[in-house]
């Protein structure tokens, strides 16, 4: 049952060149640039997000994901989940004081068995939906740019210990298994987990290495926006991975591309919804091509192997 | 905070002629006809719904809504919410045994201060998504009809005591106030309540009479489907109310029409999402025209006064 | 058979306040402002149009249409059509020298039996598709505004003598009758005429007065753009007439609104196509509601009576 | 200038197994099966086409195109174009009597310098738009299947002598060059030709062999229909080539796949329009990847080499 985790609240990504990265996430993807902190990190968000930011870019020597944070419903829930994380064992739970991220309250950080760093927090400055607010709000702001990404939606992560991570997210954090890929021996090789109605708030793929980012994903309103995203990728000579196409898993309508540092991005629309009483959707591993790319029904090598 | 109510599970509607009604809900709206019970009630659902049914039609002398049911996460939650309903006071809480609706477990029924009959239940037979199931599921079944309504989404109800009903749904049932219309004196004259990420799972409009149905609403995938729904309304000489248009409230894309008994239906696509930490969206009553019909910015008399 | 008229080349509209009008046609409708001439007229076009302009705004004391011009395929065709217009009789054919409109060659002007002023021309400066040109062209320019109207498409005109005007456009100018509305006595009360594959390049409705403009119409790419147009109409407090909806006639997807001077505009997407060997589509006058507004199937008074 | 050719009127395709082929073109692509002639050929059409058929399937030992026919505006035009074809020289002009194709008048057949067989005709039985006709027509028929292809749109053909074929189509048949790909030496290696406003009614790619079919193309209403076409391709285990994507050339939104005999089909939506006074759009051969697949900007080997 749901235990108070609401949604992905932020992801901190490492980029090689901040100026190029901001141009990519702001001008091409259409995220709203909100803030730069004293250490030079740039904070952005999708226009429909009420909290002040959901993406933090940090300039570094290698690309990848520093951490992904989930917002919980209140501080009391944060306390109880913190204790449950400690009780779970082996997670290296750390307390990050308020203010380490500008405008964000204290965070409880832990490293999942897949090697990825996650954190929980209950408090973040709210600036409201960009350009429309919550008093007689217009349908959308007129000054959006590029792909007009509406929100940070989820990350897909590659790592080794899926089973313990599954127990952690379902038993401690109250996520549900929305979709899975199972190999002939019955092992789960992909798990799509949700704390909401969304088909996934975070997903994991079985992989030999720990702590790899496959992609950070952002939501678009329509399949037509996926087309226009593809057009913008071409107009800006951005490196494309694949799409527009549909996924089998979640049935979302998608396109993949790379930021200038090599981090993979997805923008997508549509997709299935999930409630806690729904049985998980199961794909057989021998249908993996169709599960990932519903139209082509074959995987491309790049999609499987390029990680940051 | 969320207390275990997941979603609108069913609505029972009164219709004057069952044959005509089934033709409307099945052939025009595209719901899947699942079952007829011993008393002649017909059970239907949207194709994406996992439970066996979400709409129950009962032939009667007058149109309207018999009751609306919410599914809760498990039987223990049903027990605790039953006690909280009793403790709330004045609700006439009743226990309906399993089997009163075919395939549905026991229900806890109560009459809200607006006069509407609601019920909670935890168990219903699951037949899976129509035509695709949950094992290597195709994107959609090829034999859908008419508007291809994907799910029963919400009801909009007219009644008198909005304040106590608001307390009931938020304090006892764990709903959030997603949107509201407030008059110059600060009274809430419309409240859109959600137990999920959806902009509304049930909504109430202030009205002099108790227990009136404004409309039962069903979800479509896209704005293009709203266009095709309008086309089908015309092709079938179905009585239209208004649309295609966009709402200000929730920003959904919508069209309204009437079933052969005079019950108003909505099919819609898109719309905003809500999390528990989001402040409610507030519309001023003097912007009601724009709040309801975002494009026209004026209300039509029929929309305000025709109820069942 | 086709006789060399290619398309509507321009319309000159009278506006009461040039600054407000430019704001409407450029910032709201998304036409490209190209030029202002010595007399203060402002020239604009849709971004896909190759010729330099298609809309000319002239400040005046009353709103309405000064004239509509059709581009013919070459100067020799202009000569022969000029002679045929004279031979037709009663048209007051005039020669307007090159340069009267900046960048436009000589025009042959005539007044149709409905009282509307039309002109033919063969030569106009070509600036290419806005922002993309015709060498390795991108899919669309990134700096479009508002409704992103792609082209001036047609005018709908109200006037008295439809029969002679029909003969003029079909026999002399080579237009085809794509669609018509016929009253019980067999009289044509609406005629939609095309010189191309488009469902109409100009249309006429039977009316007691001569020389009235019902609307000037512009093409959008998709039904989704019609939705966004409706949103923009609301955001800018622009006076709406009706829509989004579909027409029965031509089956286009449409929304109507007014410029600040009271001239009606349409933006629309989709619609049927016509070839010269196709029989005209005929609507019975008693189906006029459905013919005009396919979803509502009733006419509103404003749509029938507000003209400029 | 236009000389009376209206549109592609039909294509006759060779298929290896008629039953499988009909299932593909009727049930998957949604063409309407109209007729089977005495020799076993099956006649189909898109639902918006007024003539009785546009696709003729003939069972044979090898796949490919037998011939493509263009409809001209009347019999007198057919006579004059027949003479011009003879005067052009070297075309092996033949007269096919009325009735050789059921419901079709006499045809004037010729072999183009690329080796492809074309024909002109002026008369074919008209059955009207399928399911709606031309008297108070509904927006669309309710019993369409599969991809709901609206019309046969064009063929893309591979052959050797593009220059003479260009002269033939422009000088004799009155086509315009809408788009072209030009190599560094200034040779045209692709030519997209139109007799209408469509971006292409027939197109040719330079190739070492004569008389090869790259694909027969059919029009869909929207980009959403392209998505659903992709879904149907997957659901039916149909061999996909590429898409959904956008073309650079014509900017249409497209998906490619193969019929059971190996003939490539395209369904597409959108795309640019062309008038005779528009300069041709020119793509440089070193931009061929982007010209063909606007998003990926690289060609796949299969698209270039698999022909029938």
């Amino acid at each position: 049952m749901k235990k108070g985790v609401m949604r992905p609240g932020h992801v901190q990504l490492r980029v090689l060149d901040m100026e190029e990265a901001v141009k990519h996430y702001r001008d091409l993807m259409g995220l709203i640039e909100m803030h730069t902190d004293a250490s030079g990190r740039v904070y952005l968000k999708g226009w429909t997000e009420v909290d002040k930011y959901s993406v933090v870019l940090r300039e570094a020597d290698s690309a990848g994901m520093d951490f992904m944070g989930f917002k919980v419903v209140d501080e009391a829930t944060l306390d109880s989940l913190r204790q449950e994380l400690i009780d779970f064992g082996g997670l290296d739970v750390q307390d990050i004081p308020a203010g380490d991220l500008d405008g964000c309250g204290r965070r409880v950080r832990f490293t999942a068995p897949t090697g990825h760093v996650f954190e929980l927090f209950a408090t973040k400055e709210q600036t409201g939906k960009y350009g429309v607010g919550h008093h007689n709000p217009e349908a959308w702001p007129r000054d959006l740019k590029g792909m007009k990404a509406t929100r940070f939606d989820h990350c897909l992560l590659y790592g080794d210990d899926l089973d313990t991570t599954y127990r952690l997210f379902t038993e401690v954090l109250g996520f549900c298994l929305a979709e899975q890929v199972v190999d002939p021996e019955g092992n789960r090789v992909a798990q799509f987990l949700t704390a909401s109605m969304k088909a996934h708030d975070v997903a994991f793929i079985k992989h030999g290495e720990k702590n790899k980012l496959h992609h950070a994903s952002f939501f678009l309103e329509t399949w037509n926006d996926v087309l226009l995203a593809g057009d913008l990728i071409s107009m800006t000579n951005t490196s494309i991975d694949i799409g527009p196409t549909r996924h089998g898993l979640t049935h979302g309508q998608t396109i993949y591309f790379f930021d200038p540092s090599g981090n993979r991005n997805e923008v997508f629309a549509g997709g299935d919804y999930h409630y806690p009483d729904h049985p998980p959707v199961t794909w057989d591993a021998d249908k993996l091509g169709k599960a990932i790319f519903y139209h082509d029904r074959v995987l491309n090598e790049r999609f499987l192997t390029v990680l940051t």
Side-chain angles (χ1 to χ4, degrees), chain A residues 49-189:
Chain A
E49 295 181 283
V50 171
D51 284 347
K52 186 171 179 179
Y53 56 86
S54 60
V55 174
V56 181
L57 303 178
R58 180 173 75 83
E59 198 168 77
D61 291 336
S62 65
M65 181 182 90
D66 279 338
F67 54 82
M68 180 181 181
F70 295 98
K71 194 175 190 186
V72 303
V73 75
D74 54 29
E75 293 287 340
T77 299
L78 185 57
D79 282 331
S80 67
L81 289 173
R82 178 182 177 281
Q83 189 57 49
E84 290 192 60
L85 288 167
I86 292 167
D87 295 346
F88 187 81
L91 295 176
D92 185 25
V93 179
Q94 293 182 308
D95 294 299
I96 314 289
D100 175 81
L101 278 176
D102 282 5
C104 188
R106 68 183 172 116
R107 292 130 68 204
V108 174
R109 180 177 289 182
F110 59 97
T111 303
T114 52
H116 300 92
V117 178
F118 293 101
E119 42 186 54
L120 307 179
F121 67 97
T123 305
K124 190 184 277 181
E125 187 183 345
Q126 294 197 322
T127 53
K129 287 192 188 184
Y130 172 76
V132 300
H134 54 266
H135 185 206
N136 302 328
E138 300 291 357
W140 36 271
R142 289 189 64 180
D143 60 349
L144 295 175
K145 291 181 186 171
M147 296 181 185
K148 306 182 184 187
T150 65
R151 67 167 182 245
F152 167 51
D153 191 86
H154 67 269
C155 286
L156 176 62
L157 305 172
Y158 274 44
D160 50 357
D161 186 354
L162 259 58
D163 290 340
T164 314
T165 298
Y166 171 77
R167 282 209 303 115
L168 169 65
F169 272 81
T170 55
E171 294 174 16
V172 175
L173 300 174
F175 281 65
C176 293
L177 179 66
E179 308 220 0
Q180 60 183 341
V181 180
V182 175
D183 73 14
E185 290 73 41
N187 302 306
R188 201 183 297 112
V189 296

Side-chain angles (χ1 to χ4, degrees), chain A residues 2-78:
Chain A
K2 299 303 172 65
K3 298 179 71 172
V5 174
M6 291 191 294
R7 65 172 173 273
H10 52 241
V11 61
Q12 182 166 308
L13 296 172
R14 293 188 302 275
V15 298
L16 305 182
D17 179 297
M18 184 59 78
E19 196 179 341
E20 279 191 356
V22 169
K23 212 169 143 183
H24 175 88
Y25 286 95
R26 181 191 60 200
D27 297 346
L28 174 59
M29 297 190 60
L31 298 179
I32 312 301
E33 185 181 357
M34 298 299 292
H35 184 70
T36 303
D37 72 15
S39 69
R41 290 182 296 186
V42 176
Y43 297 52
L44 308 100
K45 73 169 185 175
W47 74 269
T48 70
E49 295 181 283
V50 171
D51 284 347
K52 186 171 179 179
Y53 56 86
S54 60
V55 174
V56 181
L57 303 178
R58 180 173 75 83
E59 198 168 77
D61 291 336
S62 65
M65 181 182 90
D66 279 338
F67 54 82
M68 180 181 181
F70 295 98
K71 194 175 190 186
V72 303
V73 75
D74 54 29
E75 293 287 340
T77 299
L78 185 57

Side-chain angles (χ1 to χ4, degrees), chain A residues 199-265:
Chain A
H200 40 13
D201 283 321
V202 65
F204 296 92
I205 303 273
K206 183 88 175 175
H207 183 69
E209 292 168 288
K210 281 187 184 298
N211 192 22
K212 288 303 193 181
L213 171 68
H214 186 271
H215 69 262
S217 180
F218 298 83
F219 196 69
L220 302 184
E221 292 201 15
T222 68
W223 169 238
N224 201 56
D225 290 319
V226 177
L227 172 67
L228 301 185
D231 295 341
L232 286 162
I233 286 168
S234 187
M235 289 176 195
T236 54
N237 275 317
T238 298
S239 176
I240 194 172
D241 190 2
I242 193 163
T245 190
R246 189 197 283 277
H247 288 301
L249 283 151
T250 81
H251 296 119
Q253 303 138 24
T254 181
I255 191 165
Y256 286 92
F257 51 100
F258 295 96
D259 80 7
S261 306
N263 294 302
R264 189 187 280 97
N265 296 143

